Amino acid sequence: MEKVTQPKVYVRTCVALLALLALTWAIGYVDLGSFNLIVALAVAIAKAIVIALFFMHIKGSSRLLHLVAVAGVIWLLFLISLTLGDYFTRGWVPLNH
Amino acid sequence: MSTLTSPASEDAFVAQQFDNIEQQREAAKLGMWIFLATEVLFFGGLFLGYTVYRFTYGQVFVDTSRKLDVLLGGTNTAVLLVSSLLMAFAVRAAKLDQRRMLTWLLLGTALLGCVFMSIKGVEYHKDYVDHLVPGRHFEWHGPDPYNAELFFWIYFAMTGLHAIHVTVGIGVMLVLALLARLGKFSRGNHNTVEIAGLYWHFVDIVWVFLFPLLYLVGHR
């Protein structure tokens, strides 16, 4: 029999996720200028990490699975950062807002 | 091959290419995570397009985003998060060989998936009535209607692709619930439930990003 997680861990994970949802939602009504985007993204990333760690059992799984999970995200960052590098340095997008 | 005797232990489920049940489970999870990495890039292309256009047409994206119903979108986020909780419990029930519990939890996950799709359907209907669906009936009375339409193209492409994933997930959960009822996942044979769970949680994560990026572009 494989080891299982205590139910309270899952319940706490879900409560934390719902609290983070409430936070994003609330901040959506506050004018923070361009920080609205940064805070919203930070909360979304926090939620994704919590889901991956506890619901998807990245916490407690093998190094190999950690590697694959991180690799997917790193390639996404390559995709976005290299493309935006082009857009931002060639004057393809106005950066005045 | 001892196919005539009923499986006495978990090792009876080990396919011949694996040394033991742990290796088989690890291989299944590895395969699913690699698939999810390709899914990250699949959705990633849309997120990239979104990012470029949001920086290019910032104010239009703020105006158009306000047309979306944040109450329905936020409720849907909560629905998916709770469905993920049920899914996590389903995987736990499968590991503990609790057949009835597993069946009900899988059905509950599928049900919440259906609730999500219903709310999404209500939203799409509202968008249609409000002439926000891109195409001939699109109407925009603010500045820059062309790029306002672009936002809704992106909105429908991203939420649509996500909705397809949820629909697939609901189908998977229903099939798994049937198989669970038939006792296919008993005595340590819970690999299938576990990797289906990984898929469901991933779909949840995608929505966790879609909600703030589409519904909360500017403050309200």
Side-chain angles (χ1 to χ4, degrees):
Chain A
M1 194 72 75
E2 218 177 332
K3 63 183 186 325
V4 292
T5 314
Q6 291 292 313
K8 66 181 178 193
V9 174
Y10 290 139
V11 173
R12 281 174 189 165
T13 304
C14 191
V15 169
L17 288 169
L18 290 172
L20 285 170
L21 167 64
L23 181 65
T24 332
W25 205 332
I27 285 173
Y29 289 91
V30 184
D31 185 7
L32 299 173
S34 50
F35 275 94
N36 273 103
L37 172 63
I38 294 168
V39 174
L41 268 184
V43 174
I45 290 168
K47 275 155 100 180
I49 290 174
V50 168
I51 293 173
L53 279 180
F54 298 104
F55 282 164
M56 299 171 92
H57 300 125
I58 274 294
K59 184 172 179 289
S61 66
S62 67
R63 285 285 177 83
L64 185 59
L65 291 191
H66 294 182
L67 186 69
V68 176
V70 171
V73 177
I74 287 182
W75 250 258
L76 177 65
L77 293 180
F78 282 161
L79 178 75
I80 291 178
S81 58
L82 292 180
T83 309
L84 290 186
D86 252 5
Y87 272 87
F88 286 168
T89 56
R90 290 164 198 264
W92 292 347
V93 290
L95 283 176
N96 52 1
H97 41 74
Chain B
M1 296 292 285
S2 58
T3 45
L4 290 177
T5 55
S6 66
S9 74
E10 300 180 332
D11 294 328
F13 299 106
V14 180
Q16 62 178 0
Q17 69 268 33
F18 297 112
D19 291 338
N20 51 46
I21 191 84
E22 281 76 27
Q23 194 190 42
Q24 177 167 319
R25 282 178 186 149
E26 193 66 15
K29 282 189 273 189
L30 176 64
M32 195 62 196
W33 273 101
I34 291 174
F35 169 69
L36 294 183
T38 69
E39 287 271 271
V40 167
L41 293 178
F42 186 30
F43 279 97
L46 285 169
F47 277 101
L48 174 65
Y50 166 89
T51 309
V52 168
Y53 286 120
R54 174 167 175 164
F55 279 118
T56 312
Y57 308 112
Q59 191 52 49
V60 184
F61 269 43
V62 170
D63 297 339
T64 43
S65 171
R66 287 189 181 137
K67 291 286 179 187
L68 299 179
D69 193 323
V70 74
L71 180 63
L72 293 180
T75 308
N76 254 350
T77 316
V79 168
L80 274 195
L81 290 176
V82 174
S83 80
S84 260
L85 176 67
L86 293 190
M87 188 69 231
F89 275 124
V91 172
R92 186 175 187 276
K95 286 179 179 174
L96 292 175
D97 207 353
Q98 300 167 332
R99 192 202 290 194
R100 279 180 63 88
M101 181 72 104
L102 171 61
T103 309
W104 283 111
L105 284 168
L106 288 170
L107 285 175
T109 308
L111 178 69
L112 285 182
C114 292
V115 170
F116 176 91
M117 289 301 291
S118 307
I119 294 177
K120 202 80 216 114
V122 169
E123 270 194 87
Y124 280 167
H125 177 72
K126 273 183 64 177
D127 295 336
Y128 177 78
V129 172
D130 293 344
H131 298 280
L132 295 175
V133 179
R136 289 180 61 189
H137 298 286
F138 184 79
E139 278 177 26
W140 186 257
H141 301 295
D144 204 354
Y146 184 77
N147 291 316
E149 193 173 2
L150 178 68
F151 173 85
F152 283 101
W153 276 119
I154 293 173
Y155 163 76
F156 278 104
M158 295 182 95
T159 57
L161 185 65
H162 179 265
I164 291 171
H165 278 77
V166 175
T167 310
V168 169
I170 292 169
V172 168
M173 293 314 144
L174 292 177
V175 171
L176 289 190
L178 179 65
L179 292 178
R181 172 133 181 85
L182 297 173
K184 298 288 185 193
F185 305 124
S186 55
R187 291 186 295 264
N189 187 28
H190 53 69
N191 247 349
T192 317
V193 180
E194 184 158 25
I195 62 171
L198 290 178
Y199 172 83
W200 190 264
H201 297 311
F202 170 79
V203 173
D204 189 10
I205 288 180
V206 172
W207 185 261
V208 157
F209 282 94
L210 286 180
F211 172 61
L213 290 181
L214 293 173
Y215 291 77
L216 302 169
V217 173
H219 71 95
R220 298 209 167 220

